[in-house]
């Protein structure tokens, strides 16, 4: 209960937030949180991709685990995961899970684009279609109310 | 059951487990008295998901398994509705459907 009131007071006022639709205003903090979630997810996946490729070719599970533990890229992956969790919990404090989670699909887009730009992979025409469809989907979700549980929370 | 079917089943179960893990993390912000408990439960559930998905990769090629993980967007939405009571507006469902198709198209080629 006390926590709820603090959270409401923390909420940025209307002029600080960007209005997506009438009735669905998105606080700047949430926009940043979602952007950070996508960025961390992208970094994680790219690090994972390059890390897996660099692993020594061995059939022993033990040797693979040791190689993973010693590889700086995997230490980076763990650090990214921890940051991801902390940021994601902050995002979930401000929005429905069913509102926030779809935004993370944009990391499929950023990973695809960065794989082309940084890793020199080729992009297929169907992937371009996929990117457009994902962006359209996220746009739809962004037009919905970001929180539907506030009444329940106040009732606690 | 063929190995491929078993692999597909494991991936589908892992996307459900992802949904449960996410619900648990969201619970931590709704049930603040047990915040830490929900967070730890969420982390454990998400670790189970990794184990299930890794297991699935023994039976499936990554090129088959990875597109299937897009189902997690549907699972999370369903479980948000069923377990958390979130209202999923029709437009949100349309968005999730587009995301399911779009992410599958992106990774199916990779």
């Amino acid at each position: 209960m006390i926590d709820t009131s603090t959270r409401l007071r923390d909420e940025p006022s209307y002029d600080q937030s960007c209005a997506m639709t009438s009735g669905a205003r998105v606080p700047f903090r949430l926009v940043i949180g979602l952007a950070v979630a996508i960025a961390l997810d992208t970094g994680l996946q790219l690090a994972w991709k390059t890390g897996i490729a660099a692993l020594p070719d061995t059939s022993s599970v033990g040797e693979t685990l040791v190689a993973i533990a010693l590889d700086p890229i995997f230490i980076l992956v763990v650090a990214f995961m921890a940051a991801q969790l902390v940021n994601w919990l902050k995002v979930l404090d401000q929005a429905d899970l069913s509102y926030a989670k779809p935004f993370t699909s944009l990391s499929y887009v950023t990973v695809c684009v960065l794989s082309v730009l940084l890793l020199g992979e080729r992009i297929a025409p169907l992937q371009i279609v996929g990117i457009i469809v994902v962006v359209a989907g996220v746009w739809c979700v962004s037009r919905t109310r970001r929180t539907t549980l506030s009444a329940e929370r106040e009732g606690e | 059951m063929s190995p491929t079917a078993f692999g597909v089943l494991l991936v589908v179960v892992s996307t459900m487990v992802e949904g449960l893990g996410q619900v648990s993390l969201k619970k931590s912000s709704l049930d603040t008295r047990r915040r830490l408990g929900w967070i730890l439960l969420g982390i454990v559930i998400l670790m189970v998901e990794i184990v299930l998905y890794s297991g699935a990769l023994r039976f499936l090629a990554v090129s088959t398994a990875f597109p299937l993980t897009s189902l997690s967007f549907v699972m999370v939405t369903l479980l948000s509705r069923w377990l958390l009571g979130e209202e999923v507006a029709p437009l949100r469902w349309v968005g999730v459907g587009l995301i399911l198709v779009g992410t599958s198209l992106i990774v199916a080629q990779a």
Side-chain angles (χ1 to χ4, degrees), chain A residues 88 92-93 95 98 145 156, chain B residues 22 26 29-30 86 92:
Chain A
W88 189 240
L92 290 181
D93 276 340
S98 62
R145 271 170 61 206
E156 263 174 20
Chain B
Q22 292 291 340
K26 175 66 191 179
S29 79
L30 298 171
E86 292 182 358
R92 192 175 285 179

Side-chain angles (χ1 to χ4, degrees), chain A residues 59-133:
Chain A
S59 53
S60 151
V61 177
E63 279 174 43
T64 309
L65 284 180
V66 170
I68 287 176
L70 295 179
D71 191 328
I73 286 215
F74 283 94
I75 296 169
L76 191 70
V77 165
V78 172
F80 267 92
M81 282 177 164
Q84 178 79 301
L85 180 70
V86 171
N87 178 67
W88 189 240
L89 289 170
K90 293 216 156 103
V91 167
L92 290 181
D93 276 340
Q94 303 170 68
D96 277 5
L97 174 58
S98 62
Y99 176 91
K101 177 71 183 175
F103 281 86
T104 63
S105 66
L106 288 175
S107 69
Y108 285 71
V109 174
T110 49
V111 168
C112 182
V113 170
L114 287 176
S115 298
V116 172
L117 294 179
L118 300 179
L119 306 177
E121 289 178 12
R122 262 194 227 157
I123 193 161
L126 266 182
Q127 284 180 301
I128 297 173
V129 175
I131 288 173
I132 295 167
V133 174

Side-chain angles (χ1 to χ4, degrees), chain A residues 45 49 108 111, chain B residues 11 15 53 57 60-71 103-104 106-108 110:
Chain A
Q45 288 187 54
K49 255 180 157 176
Y108 285 71
V111 168
Chain B
V11 177
T15 62
Y53 184 71
L57 290 182
L60 287 182
V62 178
S63 57
T64 313
F66 198 20
L68 288 173
T69 61
S70 302
L71 273 177
T103 51
S104 305
I106 293 172
V107 296

Side-chain angles (χ1 to χ4, degrees), chain A residues 1 3 7 45 49 81 85 88-99 101-106 108-109 112 121 124 126-131 133-134 136-141 143-149 152-153 156, chain B residues 18-19 22-33 35 39 43 46 50 66 69-70 72-73 76-77 79-81 84-99 101-107 109-110:
Chain A
M1 196 65 210
D3 227 72
R7 198 174 309 137
Q45 288 187 54
K49 255 180 157 176
M81 282 177 164
L85 180 70
W88 189 240
L89 289 170
K90 293 216 156 103
V91 167
L92 290 181
D93 276 340
Q94 303 170 68
D96 277 5
L97 174 58
S98 62
Y99 176 91
K101 177 71 183 175
F103 281 86
T104 63
S105 66
L106 288 175
Y108 285 71
V109 174
C112 182
E121 289 178 12
L126 266 182
Q127 284 180 301
I128 297 173
V129 175
I131 288 173
V133 174
V134 167
V138 171
W139 182 82
C140 288
V141 173
R143 307 290 289 181
T144 61
R145 271 170 61 206
R146 79 185 154 84
T147 171
T148 60
L149 291 175
E152 181 188 294
R153 212 180 287 169
E156 263 174 20
Chain B
E18 155 91 20
Q22 292 291 340
V23 163
S24 187
L25 292 182
K26 175 66 191 179
K27 265 284 187 186
S28 78
S29 79
L30 298 171
D31 181 10
T32 48
R33 266 167 300 180
R35 186 167 172 91
I39 293 173
I43 293 173
L46 292 177
I50 294 176
F66 198 20
T69 61
S70 302
S72 66
F73 291 105
V76 167
T77 312
L79 295 178
S80 299
R81 203 187 127 91
L84 299 170
E86 292 182 358
E87 281 171 37
V88 181
L91 188 59
R92 192 175 285 179
W93 272 121
V94 171
V96 171
L98 289 173
I99 287 166
V101 173
T103 51
S104 305
L105 284 177
I106 293 172
V107 296
Q109 305 288 316

